[in-house]
């Protein structure tokens, strides 16, 4: 079984966790939970599958296992003093969108035996949730202009990332993966490349800025 396949049928439930001060994984998790607490997704929905994939990666990383490649930098740099909270949060958000969302769409399509086009409404609703998450990250974690020096690298990093582009890439990846469902070898190669590509962006977002 490949590392990607380990997360094909996630079934992990959230549980209370106390994070050490400054823990980068905890930064993203706490913001993610605040947004997720606004509703209880229906079992089997795209939102529920998305949450399950994240929680599976979180459980693997916390246990010292092998989460998807895109999540590993967050665990590796979670205590780095040069990485700011907003970077951890955006890095987690990118892994959640670029990797988890794409595979969550494939999960639901397989369960319902449908094509991604049938999930467009759910995809848009999840997109609204993710937009709320991004807004909360900026509101709560982005330093004010009085705290940022001119040409601060953090400004460059944050402005270089786009939720819309990440969502669009996730949707495209999901559509192609669904088309490759009868071709396991190319499908697995694409899953691995999606994971690796997301991981590169996560590492970029975690570039130390102080």
């Amino acid at each position: 079984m490949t590392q990607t396949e380990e997360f094909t049928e996630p079934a992990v439930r959230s549980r209370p966790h106390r994070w050490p001060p400054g823990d980068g994984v905890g930064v993203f998790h706490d913001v993610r939970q605040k947004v997720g607490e606004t509703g209880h997704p229906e079992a089997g929905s795209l939102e529920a599958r998305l949450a399950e994939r994240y929680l599976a990666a979180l459980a693997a990383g916390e246990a010292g296992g092998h989460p998807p490649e895109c999540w590993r930098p967050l665990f590796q740099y979670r205590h780095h003093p040069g990485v700011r909270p907003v970077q951890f949060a955006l890095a987690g958000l990118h892994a959640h969108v670029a990797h988890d969302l794409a595979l969550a769409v494939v999960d639901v399509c397989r369960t319902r035996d449908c094509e991604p086009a049938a999930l467009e409404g759910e995809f848009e609703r999840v997109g609204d949730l993710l937009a709320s998450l991004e807004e909360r990250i900026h509101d709560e974690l982005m330093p004010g202009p009085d705290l940022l020096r001119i040409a601060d690298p953090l400004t460059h990093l944050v402005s270089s990332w786009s939720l819309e582009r990440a969502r669009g890439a996730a949707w495209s990846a999901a559509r192609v993966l669904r088309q490759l469902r009868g071709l396991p070898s190319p499908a697995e190669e694409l899953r691995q490349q999606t994971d690796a590509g997301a991981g590169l962006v996560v590492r970029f977002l975690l570039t130390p800025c102080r």
Side-chain angles (χ1 to χ4, degrees):
M1 178 181 290
T2 66
Q3 292 171 355
T4 303
E5 289 171 336
E6 291 176 1
F7 294 87
T8 299
E9 293 292 343
V12 180
R13 295 184 181 275
S14 179
R15 62 181 185 277
H17 192 106
R18 177 169 292 180
W19 305 96
D23 187 303
V25 176
V27 168
F28 173 72
H29 184 77
D30 288 345
V31 179
R32 172 68 172 82
Q33 290 301 98
K34 287 177 183 177
V35 172
E37 287 171 356
T38 59
H40 300 282
E42 180 182 351
S45 67
L46 180 58
E47 184 181 344
R49 282 293 190 170
L50 177 61
E52 288 168 1
R53 281 199 167 270
Y54 161 61
L55 292 172
L58 176 65
E62 288 293 274
H66 297 283
E69 184 175 342
C70 60
W71 282 105
R72 293 174 201 169
L74 203 66
F75 289 95
Q76 292 168 355
Y77 297 110
R78 63 193 300 176
H79 300 299
H80 196 298
V83 181
R84 303 188 193 185
V86 68
Q87 294 176 254
F88 287 119
L90 289 179
L93 181 55
H94 183 78
H96 200 33
V97 176
H99 177 266
D100 297 350
L101 180 56
L103 297 188
V105 171
V106 176
D107 289 341
V108 177
C109 286
R110 182 175 57 249
T111 299
R112 300 181 188 174
D113 191 22
C114 68
E115 298 304 315
L119 304 180
E120 286 188 17
E122 283 187 64
F123 190 84
E124 290 302 317
R125 287 193 294 275
V126 169
D128 292 340
L129 175 69
L130 295 170
S132 297
L133 178 53
E134 183 190 30
E135 183 178 356
R136 182 178 288 270
I137 288 171
H138 280 274
D139 289 346
E140 296 186 359
L141 301 176
M142 187 65 183
D146 55 320
L147 298 178
L148 288 176
R149 302 187 307 274
I150 296 176
D152 192 305
L154 181 62
T155 303
H156 171 71
L157 283 176
V158 172
S159 64
S160 296
W161 186 77
S162 166
L163 175 60
E164 281 301 312
R165 288 197 296 268
R167 282 178 55 198
W171 182 248
S172 296
R175 291 177 61 194
V176 176
L177 282 168
R178 181 61 179 167
Q179 290 299 315
L180 293 175
R181 60 187 177 276
L183 301 169
S185 181
E188 178 59 25
E189 182 177 349
L190 178 56
R191 281 193 291 267
Q192 292 177 0
Q193 291 299 321
T194 299
D195 189 9
L200 286 175
V201 176
V202 168
R203 287 185 181 276
F204 168 74
L205 289 169
L206 294 176
T207 301
C209 289
R210 60 183 176 189

